[in-house]
Amino acid sequence: MTKAYGDFDQETLDNEYLISRTVPSIEPFLADYARLSAVARDMPGCREDVAYGDHPDEVVDIFPATGRDGEKAPVFVFIHGGYWRMLSQKESSFMAPAMAENGVAVVSVNYSLAPDASIDTIVRQCRDAIAWTWREAASFGGDPDRIFVCGSSAGGHLTGMMVAGGWHDDHGVPSDVIKGAVPLSGIHDLEPLRLSCINEWAHLDADSARRNSPVHHLPEKCCPLILSYGGSETAEFKRQSVLLAEAWRAQGGATDLFEHPARNHFDIVFDLCDPDSLLGRKVFDMIAGA
């Protein structure tokens, strides 16, 4: 047997990262993302397609918090998944009503998609969106000193790259611009992905894989992390979250890592819509404690 990565042959490695095979169909989940996000866009004060950069893809949808009476609201930035090649901010604001009702503003980030855009470009765009949010938070009642970031799958990877070190000076933001992060089912070492069939659209080489791997770019000071994944996810997806959690702890960062047995790769994000769910409680506690 020829090994492609670790103890995996090529077929096994590919199957570990073909995460859509862990559910009968991803279409019902995508439909729910879109339906619930459309409901969110009907919220009072929603601002759609606000530019954070010059490229047409560089836009965010904004959902101000309600009932703050002039008090600045914490800001929850959500970065969508889709293996860097699908979805947009329009399917990625389903948590906004629950967040807004509990005094948290939401910014849902769009970015250009692979393979037309490189992972380098996507990471840069998301960092531009964070910098824009920090500068412009007051324009939608947000607190620039209480920004939190969350994403799932590829969005989990991008969340990891937002809390990585080494980029803040170039974007004119403080190194602690993010006060807490929630990478869900993320990929934090891209090397095995580079060697898998996913690289057909990720187009990574050894340098870009390392450059865009959060575990290789830990910050000097780590914000709190909540990491989770569904019980039915593959061993590799679970390992990726454990990998970042262990590296983060070794750097002195606080981490809360847990498997959610009742959730899968695609529906774990819906717990963000429920402040009484396990993940919801943890996220709102993180925000309240910042």
Side-chain angles (χ1 to χ4, degrees):
M1 178 184 70
T2 301
K3 294 182 179 179
Y5 177 81
D7 291 329
F8 296 131
D9 61 23
Q10 191 65 59
E11 181 180 5
T12 305
L13 178 65
D14 290 347
N15 284 333
E16 286 290 312
Y17 285 101
L18 288 169
I19 193 64
S20 62
R21 294 183 178 179
T22 60
V23 296
S25 172
I26 67 170
E27 297 305 323
F29 304 109
L30 302 185
D32 283 343
Y33 296 166
R35 175 179 59 82
L36 294 172
S37 295
V39 170
R41 290 195 298 276
D42 287 335
M43 294 169 55
C46 171
R47 295 165 57 189
E48 295 189 60
D49 302 318
V50 179
Y52 66 81
D54 296 330
H55 192 281
D57 294 334
E58 294 173 355
V59 294
V60 295
D61 287 354
I62 300 170
F63 305 84
T66 57
R68 298 294 294 187
D69 296 327
E71 181 185 356
K72 293 180 181 179
V75 182
F76 187 81
V77 178
F78 188 78
I79 305 174
H80 71 83
Y83 249 146
W84 305 285
R85 66 170 182 166
M86 58 188 294
L87 300 178
S88 73
Q89 91 278 18
K90 297 302 182 189
E91 300 86 22
S92 308
S93 54
F94 37 83
M95 78 299 297
M99 290 283 174
E101 290 169 7
N102 285 275
V104 180
V106 171
V107 174
S108 181
V109 177
N110 194 60
Y111 53 81
S112 300
L113 299 178
D116 293 335
S118 67
I119 305 300
D120 283 310
T121 294
I122 294 169
V123 168
R124 190 268 303 163
Q125 288 177 322
C126 291
R127 288 172 171 173
D128 286 350
I130 297 295
W132 181 92
T133 300
W134 181 74
R135 293 192 304 269
E136 299 294 331
S139 71
F140 55 87
D143 186 347
D145 293 324
R146 287 188 292 166
I147 295 174
F148 302 84
V149 183
C150 177
S152 178
S153 194
H157 159 260
L158 293 168
T159 297
M161 290 302 292
M162 298 307 99
V163 295
W167 63 273
H168 303 83
D169 288 349
D170 289 343
H171 286 73
V173 297
S175 60
D176 66 345
V177 63
I178 297 169
K179 298 304 189 289
V182 189
L184 302 173
S185 305
I187 304 166
H188 305 295
D189 177 7
L190 299 189
E191 179 61 11
L193 204 76
R194 178 182 75 85
L195 301 172
S196 78
C197 62
I198 306 305
N199 211 35
E200 293 173 8
W201 64 81
H203 293 174
L204 296 161
D205 58 24
D207 289 340
S208 61
R210 187 173 183 87
R211 189 164 58 244
N212 291 292
S213 292
V215 293
H216 297 310
H217 303 284
L218 300 175
E220 291 184 8
K221 184 178 180 181
C222 298
C223 68
L225 292 188
I226 298 169
L227 303 102
S228 189
Y229 48 82
S232 63
E233 300 199 39
T234 65
E236 271 294 279
F237 264 90
K238 294 178 180 181
R239 183 187 69 84
Q240 289 276 354
S241 288
V242 173
L243 184 68
L244 182 60
E246 290 178 344
W248 209 254
R249 288 168 183 159
Q251 192 75 353
T255 63
D256 185 347
L257 169 69
F258 66 99
E259 178 175 318
H260 201 316
R263 290 299 196 182
N264 62 50
H265 183 84
F266 301 95
D267 68 3
I268 191 170
V269 289
F270 292 130
D271 276 12
L272 297 171
C273 304
D274 181 5
D276 293 324
S277 68
L278 177 60
L279 177 62
R281 289 197 307 272
K282 290 176 180 290
V283 170
F284 279 100
D285 285 348
M286 169 189 278
I287 294 171

